[in-house]
Each structure stands twice: as structure tokens, then as C-alpha cells.
């Protein structure tokens, strides 16, 4: 019979990696909590309209990458391609702005984009997403960026490059868009069909085009930073000065526009040289008009998302990440097996990891299993040791062995494991 495999671009997270995921999640929760962020969990599916209205109808995500289908009652639903829209929907729906002026939220979970799979790019991937509502001052931009860099660093990443830009606001961006349209029209016939279409539909999206010929043209396009109004310019220069105060180094990349339409003012990306082509480990920015565009109050917002798989891929390989067993019980013979079964489960109940071999194989085979399970100690006994009320405890690393009285064995073993 044919094997059924996972869907292309959807991948299993195997136990060794799953462990890394929860270790990083643990760090994320601790860091975000210390900056005042609380966790929210939203559904992985939303009404399609939510993403069209927030991410933008003419973005790659909405045009080409969403998993959208008609539900049985013909309502269009979409597997979320990102978390910002869902978090905002929940923020509005639960009237969170009434509670407090500033709301800080984070969420961790799977996102879905039908992109071409390659190293670091999947169709189901996980994001660690952070959103801050109700504060427009540059301090909140710097706080968010500082927290992101701190989180990535203590998770174990190095050689990170932070790029920032300002994307302006409704007051100044239209003049930039006009200048870009004018510029692109001058080279229209040399652009790829997608970019030609983008000139009128969404000119800023040409900055994301991966076609080489387009890249060469766009290199000479006008720069957003030359078009900022005084409010945006002021904001951007304060963000830079605050980042300097926090010793957070950055480069300004005036070509960075981000792949989603909702950004205003500050935008940022974190790149690493450990990932190959898919080098963005995180991205985010300010979105001051989005909450109201989605039917909520006039509340500014800023946030970012970290690509969880990309973060994990950047971590150095570590032996200490291997799964460990505290104790393996090598029980030889029926009586020993029965006693070992009780002891194994008692230990587990006390919070220690314990394993045994129900197959009652040879001592050599059982010690091999203990090694495979990376166990710190192995307790060895057969019927003879039970009669003599003495069992053997082997330290699997040093290979030292000691006898331990059977009376009070559970307490004795726990003591030894704890002292290790
Ligand atoms: P984004 O830049 O589209 O932003 O995605 C953020 C991060 O998710 C990327 O930097 C990357 O690490 C990861 N990522 C994106 N697509 C894939 C993929 N196909 N496979 C693996 N990893 C991927 C957002 O999603 C915004 N919602 C971020 C944000 C939050 N802006 C404001 N608040």
C-alpha cells in the first residue's frame, strides 16, 4: 500500500526539536511577562474578510498565499497567515481598550501561507507574535524593538542584524507613492508583469519583488525617508536615539517596506546570516490606522512576529538538549519485573523520569537500552538480589556501581538522583 506522507510544506516537529520549541517558549513567556505582556490565544481560522482588510488585497499573502475555502454554509474562511489581524479582532471584540489605555499581548502558534517551500520557508510555520496597543510615543517603538533583540539574544542567537525604516503615515506616504509611480512608469516595459500591475494597484509592493531585473531598477527609486512629514521624521529620529540609549545597534534600510500593507511609521526586521536565503528571523512595525480600519477605536499599535522555526534553526546544536532519563531499571526475572514495574511508576509519580524493559531481556541488552535512553543511573536486580535485599545502582557516566538496600529503595534513589 502507498504510504501517506505529510502535506508539502507542512512538517512534523520531532521530539528533539519540540523540546527546543518549549524551551524557547518558556524564555519568551518570561521575557514578555517582565515587559508587561500577557498571553492571548486566538483561533487558527478567521473569516477571510479579516485578512483581506488588514494585510491588504494586493499583497502577495492575500493574492496568492492564503488557504481559503468556503465552509458548508458558503462562508469564506481562511487559515490565519499571520497573527496581528486575529489579535486585533479579539482586542476589538472583547473591548480591551476600555480596560486600560495600554494593552500588551502576545501569542504563539501556527500560521499558514501557501508559499513555495524551501529551507526556512514552510506552508505551516509557527510565530511568536507580540502586539502593543494604545501608545504612539517613540518609547514604545524602542521598548518593543529592545525586547525583541533581548529575547532573541537570550534564546541563544547571535550575529543578528536589526534593520529599521519609517514607512510614513497617511499624511506623507501618498506623495512618496506618487513619486514611486512616476519613477516606475519611466521603466515600465523593463519590469516583470507583476510589478507592472503593481504600479497602479500598490506601488510600494515593487520593493519586495525578487526578480533581478526589477531589483536593478528599484535600486534607483525614490527613498521614503526623503518624503517623511515632520511628525514622522521626528518620531523616527527619536526611535533611533532611544535605541542608541539602550545600546541596541541597528542599520537604516530605506528600501524595507515589509510584505503587509498595514504599517505606518516605524518598520523593522531582524536578519541573521545563519539561514541562507530566508534570512529574516523576525519582522514588525507600527500600524496606527489598523485597529480603526477593522472597526475598532482610534488606537495606535505596534508589534512584531518571530519565525519560530527560523529561530530554532539558528540555535547552535547542543548535546545538553538530548532527552534524559533519570533512572533505568534493569529487572531480570519475573519477581524483579513485578517490583520494577511498581518502582518505575512510583518514581514517575514523584516527578522523575524512569524507564524499564518489559521484555525482560538479557542484562547486556537492558544496559544498551539504558544508554539509548540517556539514563543517568541504572538500577540492576534479579530474583537473587531481591532475596538478599540488596540491589545494584550503576552510574551510567562514571560506570561506578554501588549496592543499595532494598528497604527504603525509593527514598534512597531519589536522594542519589537529587545529589547528582
Ligand atoms: P512577517 O514578516 O510576514 O510579519 O512574518 C514574521 C516572521 O515570520 C518572518 O520574519 C519569518 O521569520 C516568519 N515567517 C514568515 N513566513 C514564513 C514561512 N513561510 N515559513 C517560515 N517562517 C516564516 C508578520 O507576520 C507580521 N504579522 C508581524 C507583525 C506583528 N507586525 C506587527 N505585529
Amino acid at each position: 500500500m502507498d504510504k501517506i506522507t505529510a502535506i508539502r510544506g507542512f512538517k512534523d516537529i520531532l521530539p528533539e526539536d519540540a523540546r527546543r520549541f518549549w524551551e524557547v517558549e518558556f524564555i519568551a513567556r518570561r521575557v514578555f511577562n517582565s515587559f508587561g505582556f500577557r498571553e492571548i490565544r486566538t483561533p487558527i481560522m478567521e473569516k477571510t474578510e479579516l485578512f483581506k482588510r488588514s494585510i491588504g488585497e494586493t499583497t502577495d499573502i492575500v493574492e496568492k498565499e492564503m488557504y481559503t475555502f468556503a465552509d458548508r454554509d458558503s462562508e469564506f474562511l481562511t487559515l490565519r497567515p499571520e497573527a496581528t489581524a486575529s489579535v486585533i479582532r479579539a482586542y476589538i471584540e472583547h473591548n480591551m481598550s476600555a480596560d486600560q489605555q495600554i494593552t500588551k499581548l502576545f501569542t504563539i502558534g501556527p500560521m499558514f501561507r501557501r508559499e513555495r517551500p524551501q529551507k526556512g520557508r514552510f506552508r505551516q510555520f509557527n510565530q511568536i507574535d507580540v502586539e502593543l496597543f494604545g501608545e504612539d510615543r517613540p518609547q514604545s517603538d524602542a521598548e518593543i524593538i529592545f525586547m525583541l533583540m533581548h529575547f532573541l539574544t537570550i534564546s541563544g542567537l547571535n550575529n543578528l542584524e536589526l534593520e529599521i525604516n519609517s514607512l510614513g503615515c497617511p499624511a506623507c506616504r501618498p506623495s512618496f507613492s506618487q513619486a514611486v509611480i512616476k519613477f516606475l512608469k519611466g521603466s515600465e516595459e523593463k519590469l516583470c508583469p507583476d510589478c507592472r500591475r503593481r504600479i497602479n494597484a500598490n506601488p510600494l509592493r515593487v520593493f519586495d519583488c525578487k526578480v533581478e531585473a526589477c531589483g536593478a531598477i528599484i535600486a534607483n527609486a525614490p527613498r521614503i525617508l526623503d518624503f517623511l512629514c515632520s511628525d514622522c521624521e521626528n518620531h523616527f529620529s527619536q526611535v533611533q536615539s532611544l535605541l542608541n540609549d539602550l545600546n541596541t545597534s541597528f542599520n537604516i534600510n530605506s528600501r524595507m517596506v515589509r510584505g503587509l500593507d498595514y504599517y505606518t511609521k516605524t518598520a523593522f526586521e531582524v536578519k541573521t546570516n545563519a539561514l541562507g536565503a530566508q534570512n529574516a528571523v523576525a519582522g514588525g512595525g507600527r500600524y496606527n490606522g489598523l485597529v480603526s480600519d477593522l472597526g475598532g477605536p482610534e488606537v495606535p499599535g505596534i508589534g512584531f512576529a518571530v519565525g519560530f522555526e527560523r529561530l530554532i534553526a539558528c540555535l547552535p546544536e547542543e548535546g545538553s538538549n538530548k532527552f534524559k532519563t533519570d533512572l533505568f531499571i534493569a529487572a531480570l526475572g519475573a519477581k524483579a519485573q513485578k517490583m520494577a514495574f511498581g518502582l518505575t511508576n512510583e518514581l514517575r509519580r514523584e516527578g522523575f523520569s524512569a524507564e524499564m524493559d518489559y521484555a525482560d531481556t538479557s542484562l547486556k541488552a537492558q544496559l544498551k537500552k539504558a544508554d539509548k535512553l540517556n539514563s543517568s543511573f541504572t538500577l540492576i536486580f534479579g530474583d537473587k538480589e531481591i532475596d538478599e535485599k540488596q540491589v545494584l545502582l550503576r552510574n551510567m557516566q562514571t560506570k561506578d556501581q554501588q549496592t543499595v538496600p532494598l528497604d527504603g529503595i525509593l527514598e534512597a534513589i531519589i536522594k542519589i538522583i537529587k545529589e547528582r
Side-chain angles (χ1 to χ4, degrees):
M1 277 236 267
D2 283 347
K3 266 194 302 192
I4 300 175
T5 56
I7 309 165
R8 186 166 132 81
F10 288 63
K11 74 171 191 140
D12 300 307
I13 297 172
L14 299 175
E16 281 301 308
D17 267 347
R19 185 188 172 90
R20 299 181 139 211
F21 272 78
W22 68 250
E23 280 171 354
V24 171
E25 267 184 46
F26 181 80
I27 297 172
R29 291 201 163 83
R30 208 184 54 211
V31 171
F32 300 163
N33 280 328
S34 68
F35 282 77
F37 288 81
R38 293 178 306 150
E39 185 167 0
I40 182 170
R41 298 185 189 196
T42 62
I44 59 160
M45 215 157 37
E46 300 274 358
K47 292 178 183 166
T48 303
E49 188 58 24
L50 176 69
F51 301 114
K52 283 192 177 169
R53 250 165 70 186
S54 54
I55 298 170
E57 297 254 15
T58 47
T59 55
D60 278 358
I61 295 180
V62 171
E63 277 184 342
K64 307 179 197 162
E65 297 170 1
M66 293 206 305
Y67 283 96
T68 295
F69 64 95
D71 200 1
R72 284 167 197 266
D73 58 6
S74 306
E75 183 172 38
F76 277 98
L77 304 177
T78 295
L79 288 176
R80 62 180 182 191
E82 58 118 43
T84 310
S86 307
V87 173
I88 296 179
R89 195 237 348 108
Y91 172 80
I92 298 170
E93 198 165 326
H94 303 286
N95 202 15
M96 289 189 212
S97 62
D99 258 12
Q100 56 205 83
Q101 198 215 329
I102 298 178
T103 307
K104 296 175 166 185
L105 301 170
F106 72 92
T107 193
I108 302 175
M111 311 293 151
F112 305 84
R113 295 184 192 175
R114 203 175 190 294
E115 294 189 83
R116 200 167 52 76
Q118 65 179 77
K119 185 168 178 253
R121 191 161 72 188
F122 313 103
R123 290 180 169 179
Q124 176 177 333
F125 58 99
N126 289 274
Q127 279 188 346
I128 302 174
D129 180 273
V130 168
E131 312 292 349
L132 185 157
F133 301 103
E135 179 61 80
D136 186 29
R137 292 179 188 88
Q139 284 90 334
S140 54
D141 305 43
E143 166 189 329
I144 276 269
I145 295 173
F146 176 71
M147 180 174 84
L148 168 62
M149 299 311 285
H150 171 60
F151 161 63
L152 293 175
T153 308
I154 66 164
S155 295
L157 266 59
N158 37 44
N159 295 327
L160 296 173
E161 202 171 291
L162 168 65
E163 292 187 344
I164 63 172
N165 194 18
S166 174
L167 297 181
C169 67
C172 54
R173 192 152 52 197
S175 57
F176 172 62
S177 299
Q178 282 311 314
V180 173
I181 293 173
K182 198 164 157 222
F183 169 82
L184 292 173
K185 288 216 159 132
S187 319
E188 195 167 349
E189 67 292 347
K190 293 190 205 132
L191 294 169
C192 74
D194 266 351
C195 280
R196 253 178 270 151
R197 194 169 46 83
R198 285 169 182 141
I199 294 179
N200 292 315
N202 195 346
L204 263 57
R205 293 272 68 88
V206 299
F207 288 95
D208 281 340
C209 185
K210 303 283 180 293
V211 176
E212 225 170 274
C214 296
I217 294 164
I218 292 153
N220 299 313
R223 285 167 199 274
I224 177 88
L225 295 180
D226 298 328
F227 289 80
L228 295 184
C229 60
S230 61
D231 179 35
C232 287
E233 201 174 87
N234 230 328
H235 186 98
F236 193 45
S237 77
Q238 283 193 57
V239 171
Q240 292 174 51
S241 128
L242 288 161
L243 286 175
N244 284 327
D245 291 349
L246 292 169
N247 290 321
T248 303
S249 42
F250 58 84
N251 292 320
I252 294 175
N253 176 357
S254 61
R255 297 285 180 220
M256 185 224 304
V257 288
R258 310 270 304 121
L260 309 97
D261 277 351
Y262 48 61
Y263 292 112
T264 54
K265 294 188 176 169
T266 314
F268 51 93
E269 270 177 8
V270 183
K271 299 194 168 147
T272 140
N273 52 16
L275 286 174
Q278 300 307 316
N279 60 357
V281 70
R286 183 165 278 293
Y287 46 80
N288 285 352
L290 186 54
V291 178
S292 59
D293 283 352
L294 290 175
E298 289 284 345
V299 170
I302 181 166
F304 65 77
V306 177
F308 212 153
E309 283 76 5
R310 293 189 191 175
L311 189 170
I312 299 286
C314 290
L315 292 179
E317 289 288 334
E318 255 183 57
S320 64
N321 249 330
K322 267 178 104 180
F323 182 77
K324 280 201 179 71
T325 307
D326 294 317
L327 183 80
F328 185 87
I329 305 185
L332 305 157
K335 222 155 95 189
Q337 278 276 323
K338 191 165 158 43
M339 180 175 280
F341 187 67
L343 204 50
T344 303
N345 286 297
E346 286 286 335
L347 268 167
R348 290 168 172 167
R349 200 169 58 182
E350 295 298 325
F352 299 94
S353 53
E355 291 294 337
M356 64 173 287
D357 179 9
Y358 299 146
D360 192 7
T361 48
S362 70
L363 179 61
K364 197 172 155 210
Q366 294 206 38
L367 287 176
K368 221 169 160 186
K369 253 192 193 160
D371 265 335
K372 262 220 152 123
L373 289 168
N374 208 11
S375 82
S376 305
F377 296 96
T378 301
L379 196 65
I380 305 167
F381 58 92
D383 296 350
K384 180 170 147 269
E385 284 74 17
I386 295 178
D387 291 342
E388 290 171 2
K389 295 197 182 312
Q390 295 266 21
V391 294
L392 263 184
L393 185 71
R394 182 182 172 95
N395 181 321
M396 298 300 282
Q397 213 173 10
T398 62
K399 311 283 182 230
D400 288 344
Q401 296 199 152
Q402 56 176 307
T403 50
V404 186
L406 205 51
D407 265 354
I409 183 80
L410 185 68
E411 293 71 23
I413 289 170
I414 289 175
K415 192 158 170 272
I416 292 169
I417 294 174
K418 276 187 174 165
E419 277 169 2
R420 194 181 158 256

